[in-house]
Amino acid sequence: MLQLSYIRDNKDAVLTGLQKRHFTNAEAIIEQVLALDQHRRDTQRDLDDTLAQSNAKAKEIGVLMKSGDKAAAEAAKAETTNLKVHSKALEDALRLAEQQLQDILVTIPNIPHSSVPAGRTADDNEVVLEHGKKPTLYDGAQPHWELIKKYGVNGPIIDFELGVKIAGAGFPVYRGKGARIQRALINFFLDEAMAAGYMEVQPPIVVNEESGFGTGQLPDKEGQMYYVPEDKLYLIPTAEVPITNLYRDVIVPENQLPICNVGYTPCFRREAGSWGAHVRGLNRLHQFDKVEIVRIEKPENSYTALENMSQHVQSLLQKLELPYRVLRLCGGDMGFTSALTYDMEVWSAAQERWLEVSSVSNFETYQANRLKLRSKMEGKMQLLHTLNGSALALPRILASILENNQTPNGIRVPAVLVPYCGFEMID
RNA sequence: GGAGAGAUGCCUGAGUGGCCGAAAGGAACAGUUUGCUAAACUGUCGUACUCGCAAGGGUACCGAGGGUUCGAAUCCCUCUCUCUCCGCCA
């Protein structure tokens, strides 16, 4: 959520930013916000004045009572009636104005960073860099959804049909070496993050409504999350939600900054309406595993931190020997809450497609404002910047390892994972 | 699931109708003392909104929401959450 004071003082910048996102009706909406804000402040001032008068009267009555002047006290009481009626009305008006403002503010996305390219769709994203050589596969190479059936003991190493039996489509069962390589990846990612200075956390994988609001999933994206009505809990779509919300309503002592957390969790996404032919196999799932890095930074350091996170993610891909590219998302393709997002995509050799495996974003104060996440810096209370990134999401990494490393004799496990999973080949 | 207790500032904890935005202690921060550390002493020490160039002022907030009252942390109602005991159970 943008800060009102920011919109007030930087109307033009806000409008240009929203334009970059192709946010419709920006001008009208901002005008409405400013008008409502003015009205809210006027109302607040009136209310405060009225309440100040009431307080003065009450005090006066107290003194009169004590001095035993009953008649004067009663007379003063009579004078409060009007004030009461008046303040009641103003209170209602204030609450309404605040609610209306809030309702609009939550629909306004974050302002893109100046480096965010213009553009509407994924095709307009800027390719920042490409790294590694796309492998040439042997004749007869297969996509991962075929490969998984080729290996494994008494069944595929990743069994989609078994998952259907247990839960439904998009909930695969990992078996044998399929399960072990998953676990190896998780441990590898966690160890790498810790070596890079992140502290591991294991958060709950369900969250309440406040948490969903804090990071910006609610209101709006409720359709994407699994919900448990009995307990009013959402299954997390990413560890970003619980980990960032650890710092909701927190005033962080300046000397504890920056905060760098890493967590492994399963993630759950309903993916309503996004099913299609190109999401076969591991490309899109309802449940998947992900290691997420989250940082809380001083405003002046957040973009350095973002680059740093991007480097960290890239180093993982390099160690896994996967060809990848880095995209800077354009205004139209960026997430609602982000100011700048890098997507990392790995090359999936048999599908001959880039697969998104990480998304690293700086939210600046957008989430912090909702979270009330602040620090007292230079004597002033200030909102902090939040950032997060996948480091990494498992299924597509696994898909490209399977596809890129396939040989006629089996699938070669990246060297860096061998100590973690204890075998060199899936065969 | 059953029974009970409670929710106050960074923490502990006092406060049962006006003198309470809230005692006291601790923590933290700044300073004095000191060869260093420690101790002692002094001072500072909530947040939000709002008015003001500023100094400074106003308002709200003692789990949340409502009510009683001229006046509520304090009385009443509803809700939420936490803790303890019992039951069940990983």
Side-chain angles (χ1 to χ4, degrees), chain A residues 63-75:
Chain A
V63 173
L64 289 172
M65 299 282 258
K66 204 156 269 180
S67 71
D69 194 342
K70 274 230 167 99
E74 286 307 320

Side-chain angles (χ1 to χ4, degrees), chain A residues 268-402:
Chain A
F268 302 87
R269 300 187 182 179
R270 298 189 61 230
E271 302 291 358
S274 65
W275 232 255
H278 61 296
V279 294
R280 292 188 66 177
L282 294 167
N283 291 353
R284 177 156 286 157
L285 301 172
H286 284 311
Q287 178 184 332
F288 62 96
D289 292 301
K290 182 156 65 67
V291 171
E292 183 82 1
I293 49 178
V294 172
R295 291 176 72 139
I296 294 164
E297 293 278 348
K298 291 187 189 187
E300 64 266 30
N301 295 337
S302 69
Y303 280 95
T304 313
L306 183 70
E307 294 308 318
N308 188 289
M309 292 165 79
S310 161
Q311 287 304 322
H312 175 70
V313 173
Q314 290 183 52
S315 77
L316 299 176
L317 296 170
Q318 287 165 19
K319 287 178 185 174
L320 290 172
E321 305 161 48
L322 294 171
Y324 67 88
R325 63 178 190 177
V326 177
L327 304 177
R328 195 195 306 262
L329 296 195
C330 73
D333 198 35
M334 221 169 38
F336 188 78
T337 51
S338 174
L340 177 59
T341 296
Y342 292 117
D343 271 9
M344 281 67 175
E345 299 183 331
V346 297
W347 181 250
S348 190
Q351 299 182 67
E352 301 194 313
R353 293 176 53 199
W354 292 104
L355 298 179
E356 183 194 331
V357 292
S358 177
S359 195
V360 184
S361 303
N362 187 352
F363 305 94
E364 298 191 5
T365 59
Y366 195 89
Q367 292 182 327
N369 191 32
R370 293 173 160 227
L371 294 161
K372 297 199 175 65
L373 165 53
R374 296 159 297 168
S375 183
K376 199 166 206 164
M377 293 176 285
E378 285 154 12
K380 255 183 28 207
M381 206 52 93
Q382 291 178 59
L383 291 173
L384 292 164
H385 284 194
T386 58
L387 303 93
N388 67 50
S390 352
L392 282 160
L394 282 263
R396 293 176 189 163
I397 290 287
L398 196 49
S400 54
I401 289 176
L402 295 175

